[in-house]
Amino acid sequence: MGKNENKNKYSIIVPTYNERLNIALIVYLIFKHLRDVDFEVIIVDDGSPDGTQDIVIQLQKVYGQDRILLRPRPKKLGLGTAYIHGLKHASGNFVVIMDADLSHHPKYLPSFIKKQLETGASIVTGTRYVKGGGVHGWNLMRKLTSRGANVLAQTLLWPGVSDLTGSFRLYKKSVLEDVISSCVSKGYVFQMEMIVRASRKGYHIEEVPITFVDRVYGSSKLGGSEIVEYLKGLAYLLVTT
Amino acid sequence: MKHIVKIITFLVVISSFWIGLLQTSILPCSYTWLLPIYFIVSLGCYGLLMVGVGLMRFPTCPQEAILLQQDIVEAKEFLKQSVDVGGSD
């Protein structure tokens, strides 16, 4: 990167709901860590009542309306459709998807881009379960659930990817458009469906280690019924892919 | 081929092998009857072992939380003139 001519443009899609503080921090960190790269940040806000959109407008005044795009939707309409919505407004040839809650640190963006340039991969996905990666802020129960879910999915689906439910990923725009159109799941099963379908379609997938610090501000969104959703998602992927 | 079909094919191959063993009685019949139980038990052991190993070697990164706090302070400092980052939720 940097001195090597990188003519790619990266569209970073960040779905938000009540992330007024986090969105400001994440935008600052993206601009700090992506210096010699052409990129835009597309914020898809689902009508947050906490004034997330006001903050984004203030950020546009600092960084420019061409670098920060606010593409709100009237109400909470789900993660999958948020990406489709953001994708419609993306002008880059690559798309990065990341969470707004600071569990995905923008400092890893250069390693995603570097990995893609080195390998020519269609998808680069962040993984927490290899050397150099890791998780902070999970209790034993959460770790146990995560490991169990992972072993189950690896044994039954053989996806060829070590972290299925992580959602920090870089896609070629055309690949994302292709894969997303065939995905129907919701929540983080959606992330698993995306990567499994992409793997079945034969796209070249590479991994980079990332660390995951559980959300600092705001409340975590994981509930008990998510395990049931996960198992349903697993069964769904078994019979459809 | 759907993934479930691959798994079912695998199970069918295993069971036909087992029925073959029962028919030809290369091994004593009492052993052959126990094989499916061994199979299920070893599958369970494999699962438990993988979860256990994964849990023991679970990569954690406490230093990242500290670095993130520093980044947050730095970001707030930079943004405070132009963006309303005062009230945290």
Side-chain angles (χ1 to χ4, degrees), chain A residues 36 40 48 73-74 79 101 105 116 164-165 217 236 238:
Chain A
D36 309 312
E40 65 188 1
S48 303
R73 302 189 298 172
L79 205 56
D101 62 6
H105 198 298
Q116 197 286 323
L164 287 169
T165 51
Y217 298 107
Y236 167 74
L238 268 176

Side-chain angles (χ1 to χ4, degrees), chain A residues 153-169:
Chain A
Q154 295 291 342
T155 313
L156 292 175
L157 291 171
W158 317 325
V161 183
S162 62
D163 190 348
L164 287 169
T165 51
S167 53
F168 194 177
R169 290 176 187 154

